[in-house]
Amino acid sequence: MRKLVFLFLLGYFSMEVLTAQSIAKPDVSKIVLVVHGGAGTITRQNMTPEKEKAYTEVLQQALQAGYTILKKGGTSMDAVEASIRIMEDSPLFNAGKGAVFTHEGKNELDASIMDGRTLKAGAVAGVKSVRNPITLARKVMENSEHVMLTGEGAEQFAKEQKLEIVDPSYFYTEARWKQLQQAKEGEKIQLDHSGDKGSNNEKIFTEGKKFGTVGAVALDGYGNLAAATSTGGMTNKRWNRVGDAPIIGAGTYANNKTCAVSATGHGEFFIRSVVAYDISALMEYKGISLQKAADEVVMKKLVERGGEGGIIAVDAKGNIAMPFNSEGMYRGFIKAAGTPSVLIYK
Amino acid sequence: MRKLVFLFLLGYFSMEVLTAQSIAKPDVSKIVLVVHGGAGTITRQNMTPEKEKAYTEVLQQALQAGYTILKKGGTSMDAVEASIRIMEDSPLFNAGKGAVFTHEGKNELDASIMDGRTLKAGAVAGVKSVRNPITLARKVMENSEHVMLTGEGAEQFAKEQKLEIVDPSYFYTEARWKQLQQAKEGEKIQLDHSGDKGSNNEKIFTEGKKFGTVGAVALDGYGNLAAATSTGGMTNKRWNRVGDAPIIGAGTYANNKTCAVSATGHGEFFIRSVVAYDISALMEYKGISLQKAADEVVMKKLVERGGEGGIIAVDAKGNIAMPFNSEGMYRGFIKAAGTPSVLIYK
C-alpha cells in the first residue's frame, strides 16, 4: 500500500513538472524580431521621399505584427510568419502580391521556414495561386512528411490544407509588368534591386527598385529561434528557375544552438555558398560571434565569389546582424521595448 | 628599344607559364572515384546471389567508366557524370531508367552536380522526360546563369540543350510499378531501400530492395574534386516532393579546400541537417579529418535526429569515407591501381 501511495505521488509530481514546463512563462524581455525587404542597388538618389515612406511603413507594420505576437508570449514561428504575410500582402516587395514576372509573364513564388527548436523546416517553390506562400511552407513543415514541395503538387497540397487560393491575376501589378518589359528589352534577367553596373542597362535595373525578397528572423520569450524567407524570384526568370529562398541552408536556416538567418540577393551565389547554414556552422565550429560569422560570409566569402546581397540574423542571446554587400537593404528590427527601427541605406 | 624587348620577353614568358598551367600534366597516381547506389534495409537474408551479382556488376561498370576518364587525365566532373549515367541507365537503381513511381504513377527525377574547383553547381528537380538528369544538371551549371531548374522549365531547357528526351514510358519498369501498388496498399511512402521496422508493412519495404539514389564523388589528377547525385525520390511520393538529392549543400557538395560528398537516405532529414556541406564545414572550421567529419554527421547527428542513410566522400588528399547508419549501402571505390572494390553490407 505504501508503495502504491509512493508511486501515485511520484506520478503526480512528474505530471506537475511536465505541466509547469509546458506552460513555462515566457521571458518577453529578450524578444527580438528582424525583417528584411530585399537588397540591391537602393540609393538615396534613386529614392523619393514618398517611396521611402511607403517602404518604411510596411516594414514597420511587419515588425509590429510579429512583435505583438512575441510580446504576448507567442512563438518565434508565429512571429516570422505574421511579419512575412504583411510583406507578402504588400505590392511593394517581391513576394506574394508584389512578385515579379517570369519570362513567360507569370508569377512563381518560393518560400521557406525553419524552426530552430526542432530543426523542422518547410519549403515551396514555383507556386502560382497561393496568396501567402510562407503559410504554405509552414503547412508543409507541420502537416506533411516532407520538407519541400514544388509546382502543381505544392498547390494541390495548399488546397487540401484549405489555404487561401487566388487567381494568378491577383499577382498582377503594373509596375512589375513594366519591369518585365524593360528586362526583356534589355534581354537581361533582372535581379532583386540590383543594377547592372557599368552597362547600358543600368537604368533599367536601378529603376527597378520595387523588388525584394522578404525575410524575418526572431527570438521568442522561450528562447526559441525561427527564420523565414519568401520571394517572387528574378524578373524575367526562365525554365522554372529556383533561387536560394526555398533552399534550407542557403536562404533560410534556424538552430537554437546558434542563430536564425534569412538571406536576400543573387540566389545562385547564395546556394553555392550555402550562406545561411555557413553562418551557423562558423558560430558552432569556430566559436565566433554572430556578427563575425555573418561578416565572414557576406562581406568576405560572397564578395570574393561575386555574390551580391545580404542577410538578417539573430542569435540565441538576441544579438542581431544585418550585413549586406550591396548598396542598400530594406531592413528593420524591434526588441522588447517595442520601438521599431527601419533602415534602408548603408 | 630595350624596354620593348623586355616587355616582349615578359609577355612571352607569361604565356609560357599560362600554357604550361593549362596543359599541366595530371598526376594520375592520386585519382580516386567513389560511387553509391543507395542506402537502406539491404541485408544478406533479403538478397539472392543473382541480385547481388547484378548490383555488383553495374557498380563495377560505373566505377570503370569514371576510372577510364580519370586515368586518361580527364576531369573529376567528367568522371562523376559518366559513372552516374551508367547507374541512371540501369533499371536496378532508383535514378534514370529505374526511377520509382510517384503516387500518381509518374516518374519525377532529381539530380545535382558540383565542381569543387569553381564551386559552380547545377541541379534539376521534377524532370519527367530527360533520359540522364545528371547531364541536364551539368548543362544547367555550364550553360545557364542558374543553379536550379524545375519541372517543365527544366525540360524545356533540356530540349534547348539538345539532350536526349525520352517518352515518360521509358521509365516504366514492372518491378517499380509493383512497388508502387504495394506502397499504396500499405498507404505508406516508401523510402529508398528502407523497411518500416516493427510495423506490418516491413515486408513491403524490405522486399523493395531495388531502390537507391545514386551518387559519385571523385578526385582527378589535377587535384580537383567533384560530386554528383541522381534519384527518382520516394515511391508513392506526392505533391511534387523534392528530397535532398538536388539540393546543393544537402545531397551534394564539393569544394577543393575540403571534400566532395554525395548523400543517400531519408531526404527530409538530410535537408534539415544540410548534410553534405556540414561535413565540409566540420573539416574546414574544426580541422578534423574527412572520416571524423563524416562520422560526426552520419553516425551521430543524423542518428540522433532519426535520419536514416549514408554518404560517400573523398577529400583533396584522396582519403575516402563511406559511413551509413542503415543496414546496408551499395557502394564502391577505385583508385589509381584500377581495381574496383564493391561493398553492400556493413
Side-chain angles (χ1 to χ4, degrees):
Chain A
M1 182 60 191
R2 252 190 213 168
K3 216 171 187 175
L4 268 178
V5 169
F6 173 74
L7 283 173
F8 174 80
L9 287 173
L10 189 74
Y12 179 78
F13 285 117
S14 305
M15 274 186 64
E16 281 293 286
V17 170
L18 277 174
T19 313
Q21 226 164 27
S22 52
I23 56 159
K25 267 215 165 173
D27 176 4
V28 295
S29 72
K30 59 180 183 181
I31 57 173
V32 179
L33 173 69
V34 193
V35 300
H36 73 74
T41 309
I42 311 165
T43 58
R44 275 198 182 81
Q45 71 221 49
N46 292 320
M47 190 65 87
T48 64
E50 293 74 32
K51 280 182 183 174
E52 202 176 296
K53 187 164 173 278
Y55 280 105
T56 302
E57 277 177 7
V58 181
L59 289 167
Q60 282 174 341
Q61 285 166 24
L63 287 167
Q64 207 61 54
Y67 175 79
T68 306
I69 290 165
L70 293 172
K71 188 74 180 176
K72 282 183 186 163
T75 67
S76 51
M77 286 293 285
D78 286 343
V80 295
E81 184 188 351
S83 290
I84 287 199
R85 285 177 65 106
I86 299 280
M87 294 185 281
E88 281 179 342
D89 288 347
S90 161
L92 294 182
F93 299 97
N94 177 18
K97 171 68 185 158
V100 299
F101 284 95
T102 68
H103 185 74
E104 292 78 16
K106 294 179 177 172
N107 308 95
E108 292 175 358
L109 313 170
D110 308 332
S112 66
I113 191 165
M114 187 159 184
D115 183 343
R117 182 174 67 85
T118 59
L119 301 188
K120 287 198 171 178
V124 292
V127 166
K128 291 176 185 162
S129 65
V130 177
R131 176 169 166 170
N132 292 108
I134 197 64
T135 299
L136 178 55
R138 188 166 181 187
K139 292 286 182 196
V140 171
M141 177 189 127
E142 290 176 349
N143 299 342
S144 86
E145 300 177 42
H146 304 306
V147 168
M148 190 173 193
L149 304 181
T150 60
E152 284 171 26
E155 307 218 323
Q156 194 195 318
F157 181 74
K159 282 171 200 156
E160 291 175 25
Q161 293 292 313
K162 308 212 188 312
L163 292 198
E164 187 175 353
I165 305 298
V166 291
D167 187 88
S169 65
Y170 164 80
F171 298 105
Y172 176 88
T173 56
E174 205 190 331
R176 296 297 188 211
W177 186 254
K178 277 186 185 165
Q179 282 166 353
L180 173 62
Q181 308 317 317
Q182 287 173 325
K184 280 188 164 181
E185 274 170 37
E187 280 297 321
K188 295 285 293 181
I189 292 163
Q190 207 164 3
L191 159 72
D192 229 45
H193 309 259
S194 280
D196 185 10
K197 288 166 211 157
S199 87
N200 291 332
N201 294 315
E202 184 163 359
K203 197 155 166 278
I204 296 169
F205 291 95
T206 49
E207 285 189 351
K209 279 185 301 293
K210 288 180 188 169
F211 288 60
T213 302
V214 306
V217 296
L219 172 68
D220 64 26
Y222 310 92
N224 293 323
L225 294 171
T229 311
S230 181
T231 190
M234 295 161 106
T235 290
N236 202 21
K237 68 182 177 183
R238 297 182 67 184
W239 307 306
N240 300 121
R241 172 258 188 192
V242 172
D244 64 315
I247 306 293
I248 299 302
T252 303
Y253 188 76
N255 187 335
N256 276 3
K257 272 180 88 170
T258 52
C259 59
V261 181
S262 170
T264 171
H266 197 149
E268 278 71 13
F269 290 86
F270 282 59
I271 293 176
R272 291 159 52 190
S273 289
V274 200
V275 164
Y277 183 69
D278 200 24
I279 294 169
S280 170
L282 276 164
M283 288 180 72
E284 186 175 353
Y285 301 145
K286 291 190 99 171
I288 62 177
S289 71
L290 174 67
Q291 187 68 55
K292 276 193 180 169
D295 283 346
E296 171 77 19
V297 174
V298 176
M299 309 308 282
K300 205 173 149 223
K301 281 192 186 185
L302 277 175
V303 169
E304 284 166 7
R305 295 171 187 173
E308 189 181 346
I311 65 104
I312 55 167
V314 59
D315 71 14
K317 290 172 191 160
N319 298 305
I320 288 174
M322 307 187 289
F324 55 97
N325 60 40
S326 48
E327 294 194 42
M329 180 167 82
Y330 296 110
R331 62 204 187 278
F333 63 90
I334 193 163
K335 296 188 176 185
T339 316
S341 288
V342 170
L343 300 151
I344 299 178
Y345 316 105
K346 266 181 193 162
Chain B
M1 184 61 194
R2 252 186 212 171
K3 215 169 186 176
L4 269 176
V5 170
F6 173 74
L7 282 173
F8 175 80
L9 287 173
L10 189 75
Y12 180 78
F13 286 117
S14 306
M15 274 184 65
E16 280 295 285
V17 170
L18 277 174
T19 314
Q21 225 165 26
S22 51
I23 55 160
K25 268 213 165 175
D27 176 6
V28 296
S29 73
K30 60 180 183 181
I31 58 174
V32 179
L33 174 68
V34 192
V35 300
H36 72 73
T41 310
I42 311 165
T43 58
R44 275 199 181 77
Q45 71 222 49
N46 292 319
M47 190 65 85
T48 64
E50 294 74 31
K51 278 183 185 175
E52 202 175 295
K53 187 163 172 279
Y55 280 105
T56 302
E57 276 176 7
V58 180
L59 289 167
Q60 282 173 341
Q61 284 165 23
L63 286 167
Q64 207 61 55
Y67 175 78
T68 306
I69 289 166
L70 293 173
K71 188 73 179 176
K72 283 183 187 164
T75 67
S76 51
M77 286 293 286
D78 285 343
V80 295
E81 184 189 350
S83 290
I84 288 199
R85 285 177 64 107
I86 300 280
M87 294 185 281
E88 281 179 342
D89 288 347
S90 161
L92 294 181
F93 299 97
N94 177 18
K97 171 70 184 156
V100 299
F101 284 95
T102 67
H103 186 74
E104 292 80 15
K106 294 181 178 172
N107 308 94
E108 293 176 356
L109 313 171
D110 307 332
S112 66
I113 191 165
M114 187 159 182
D115 183 342
R117 183 174 67 85
T118 60
L119 301 187
K120 286 198 172 180
V124 292
V127 166
K128 290 176 186 163
S129 66
V130 177
R131 177 169 166 171
N132 292 107
I134 197 63
T135 298
L136 179 55
R138 188 164 179 188
K139 292 286 184 195
V140 171
M141 178 189 126
E142 291 177 348
N143 299 343
S144 86
E145 301 176 43
H146 304 307
V147 168
M148 189 173 194
L149 303 182
T150 60
E152 284 171 26
E155 307 219 321
Q156 195 195 318
F157 181 73
K159 282 172 201 157
E160 291 176 23
Q161 294 292 313
K162 308 212 186 313
L163 293 197
E164 188 174 354
I165 305 298
V166 291
D167 188 86
S169 65
Y170 164 80
F171 299 105
Y172 176 88
T173 55
E174 206 189 330
R176 297 295 189 212
W177 187 254
K178 277 185 184 164
Q179 282 167 353
L180 173 63
Q181 307 317 317
Q182 288 173 325
K184 279 187 163 180
E185 274 169 36
E187 279 297 320
K188 293 286 293 179
I189 291 164
Q190 205 164 3
L191 159 72
D192 228 46
H193 309 260
S194 279
D196 186 10
K197 290 165 210 158
S199 88
N200 291 332
N201 295 315
E202 186 162 0
K203 196 154 165 278
I204 295 170
F205 291 96
T206 50
E207 285 188 351
K209 280 186 301 291
K210 289 180 188 167
F211 288 61
T213 301
V214 305
V217 296
L219 172 67
D220 64 26
Y222 310 92
N224 293 322
L225 294 170
T229 311
S230 181
T231 190
M234 295 161 104
T235 291
N236 202 20
K237 69 182 177 183
R238 296 183 67 186
W239 308 306
N240 301 120
R241 172 259 189 192
V242 172
D244 64 316
I247 306 293
I248 299 302
T252 303
Y253 187 75
N255 188 336
N256 276 2
K257 273 179 87 170
T258 52
C259 60
V261 182
S262 170
T264 171
H266 198 149
E268 278 70 14
F269 291 86
F270 282 59
I271 293 176
R272 292 158 52 190
S273 289
V274 200
V275 164
Y277 184 69
D278 199 23
I279 294 170
S280 170
L282 276 164
M283 288 180 71
E284 185 175 353
Y285 302 146
K286 290 190 101 172
I288 62 176
S289 70
L290 175 68
Q291 187 69 54
K292 276 193 179 166
D295 283 347
E296 170 77 19
V297 175
V298 176
M299 309 308 282
K300 205 173 150 223
K301 282 192 183 184
L302 277 174
V303 169
E304 283 166 8
R305 295 171 186 173
E308 188 180 346
I311 64 104
I312 53 167
V314 59
D315 71 13
K317 290 173 192 161
N319 297 304
I320 287 173
M322 306 187 291
F324 56 96
N325 61 40
S326 48
E327 293 196 43
M329 180 167 81
Y330 295 111
R331 63 204 186 279
F333 63 89
I334 193 164
K335 295 188 175 185
T339 315
S341 288
V342 169
L343 300 151
I344 299 177
Y345 316 106
K346 266 180 194 165

